[in-house]
Amino acid sequence: MKKNKYRRTIEVINSSKKILVLAHVNPDGDSIGCMIALGSALNQLNKQVTLLSADKLPSLYSFMPGIENIVHYLKLGTKFDLCIVVDCDNLERVGSSYEHLQYCNEIIEIDHHLGTTRGDGANIIDTNAAATGEIIYKLLVEMNIDITTDIAESLMTAIITDTGSFRFTNVKPETLRIAADLLEAGASTGMISQKVYDTRTLPSLKLIGIALNNIKTISNGRIAYSFITKQDMVDTGAQDSDTDGIVNYTRSIKGVDIGLFFNETAAETTKISFRARDGYDVSKAAKLFGGGGHKAASGATVEKPLNEAMPMVLDKVTEWMESLT
């Protein structure tokens, strides 16, 4: 990333007093970590900062210092000098927060997705970064921000969750160098990984059991999928955040190239998670249904009930995969 791109971003931030920070719907560790770290940094500069999430935050991230500063309501018409949108491949991904953009004098996008509406100006888009948290870290260093333990933990959470604890193929040497810097600043990879991956409620474990029992394979074992219904959520007492990571079980099956997980979130809405091994870009599959994401991990939402969405998506994904061979 060219230094002059950071310089332009820093100039816009420095000239702004009232700043709004937005992340994508169904926020994950990367988006939440970036919001918190950026908010802390802007507070160091005596900025008036509002961190806004359209959706509730998964309870598994409640350990993150500063998460209580993220709000879910903002009076429409509140004016800002600047809005910084983090970890979104397009502005519409901020969900209902989108309506606040019209009251911001300037908008900056900071992201590691390829995206569809990148624009010019002071945006920082680095598709080589494993997580948007990497980009935020570099930006804060360029701004001479004090990387406190709280900021380090937020950014380490961002990187750990988008790399699967450094297990995914998106990990690069610079990812590990940044992680080392964050460790020196006080972050704990052990604590964060334990909180995110090794702490489950009893309802979430019951939900995983149902999902594992529902796993099936198609396309000669190259595609695996599972699902849960809205009634499963009620029966187990699980929360929406308890579905996080279930899709990874489908990809872990020997011989499977693509894993899918279907979550019936409402009577007419089904959320689909995609995972892939090397050689497949499931962001392209997700785009068939209006979604997107990364090569190895993507998502989409279909406005159909589970019993209609699942066969439709499986047929199209199978056809898409076979077209590649």
Side-chain angles (χ1 to χ4, degrees):
M1 190 61 59
K2 296 180 180 179
K3 292 279 183 119
N4 63 351
K5 175 60 74 172
Y6 284 103
R7 188 174 301 120
R8 173 60 183 142
T9 305
I10 294 169
E11 288 173 354
V12 175
I13 291 174
N14 286 339
S15 65
S16 303
K17 181 63 177 176
K18 196 172 182 181
I19 301 175
L20 175 66
V21 180
L22 302 178
H24 58 72
V25 293
N26 300 315
D28 57 8
D30 192 18
S31 60
I32 296 171
C34 289
M35 289 183 77
I36 295 173
L38 194 53
S40 297
L42 294 173
N43 283 331
Q44 286 187 30
L45 299 176
N46 295 316
K47 305 295 184 181
Q48 297 177 24
V49 187
T50 299
L51 310 178
L52 177 65
S53 172
D55 293 337
K56 292 183 179 180
L57 310 178
S59 59
L60 65 91
Y61 297 112
S62 60
F63 71 92
M64 297 176 67
I67 196 170
E68 68 278 0
N69 296 323
I70 299 177
V71 301
H72 303 289
Y73 171 78
L74 178 65
K75 183 179 179 180
L76 189 61
T78 304
K79 295 182 179 180
F80 293 90
D81 302 315
L82 171 65
C83 177
I84 303 176
V85 180
V86 297
D87 201 39
C88 293
D89 57 0
N90 62 73
L91 293 178
E92 286 75 18
R93 281 279 288 156
V94 300
S96 60
S97 298
Y98 185 84
E99 58 188 351
H100 295 288
L101 294 177
Q102 62 185 307
Y103 301 103
C104 300
N105 291 337
E106 292 198 63
I107 299 172
I108 291 176
E109 297 178 68
I110 302 177
D111 185 34
H112 69 137
H113 301 91
L114 183 60
T116 56
T117 56
R118 300 286 82 177
D120 297 313
N123 294 339
I124 305 177
I125 310 300
D126 183 359
T127 56
N128 289 318
T132 302
E134 287 187 25
I135 308 172
I136 296 294
Y137 173 76
K138 293 186 218 176
L139 175 63
L140 300 191
V141 170
E142 289 295 319
M143 295 172 66
N144 294 315
I145 294 295
D146 176 25
I147 306 299
T148 64
T149 299
D150 287 355
I151 289 177
E153 286 189 357
S154 296
L155 293 179
M156 186 70 87
T157 302
I159 293 171
I160 282 177
T161 52
D162 255 27
T163 63
S165 284
F166 306 101
R167 292 182 295 112
F168 299 161
T169 56
N170 59 353
V171 175
K172 298 176 176 64
E174 187 167 22
T175 306
L176 298 178
R177 281 190 284 266
I178 291 174
D181 291 344
L182 296 175
L183 277 171
E184 290 182 340
S188 169
T189 55
M191 181 275 290
I192 294 169
S193 294
Q194 190 270 333
K195 292 287 188 182
V196 173
Y197 295 109
D198 297 330
T199 302
R200 288 276 186 178
T201 64
L202 181 58
S204 74
L205 288 175
K206 291 181 177 179
L207 194 69
I208 290 173
I210 293 172
L212 291 176
N213 190 57
N214 288 339
I215 289 180
K216 294 178 175 61
T217 61
I218 57 175
S219 191
N220 296 318
R222 295 172 63 201
I223 297 175
Y225 69 94
S226 184
F227 63 91
I228 58 169
T229 67
K230 194 68 176 174
Q231 189 59 48
D232 291 331
M233 299 292 288
V234 173
D235 292 343
T236 60
Q239 300 179 355
D240 289 341
S241 60
D242 291 328
T243 64
D244 291 349
I246 291 180
V247 64
N248 294 322
Y249 291 102
T250 63
R251 184 180 54 180
S252 69
I253 300 172
K254 185 177 181 179
V256 167
D257 293 315
I258 295 175
L260 299 95
F261 174 63
F262 297 85
N263 179 10
E264 185 183 42
T265 58
E268 298 291 329
T269 304
T270 303
K271 181 181 176 182
I272 310 109
S273 298
F274 302 78
R275 294 294 184 271
R277 294 189 184 275
D278 288 350
Y280 292 92
D281 182 355
V282 285
S283 69
K284 294 180 179 178
K287 286 179 181 177
L288 297 174
F289 313 101
H294 307 285
K295 288 184 178 182
S298 293
T301 299
V302 176
E303 297 302 324
K304 290 179 180 294
L306 178 67
N307 63 348
E308 294 181 17
M310 191 156 60
M312 182 268 291
V313 170
L314 290 173
D315 284 346
K316 287 190 176 182
V317 171
T318 301
E319 181 180 352
W320 168 79
M321 191 175 78
E322 291 177 349
S323 71
L324 301 177
T325 58

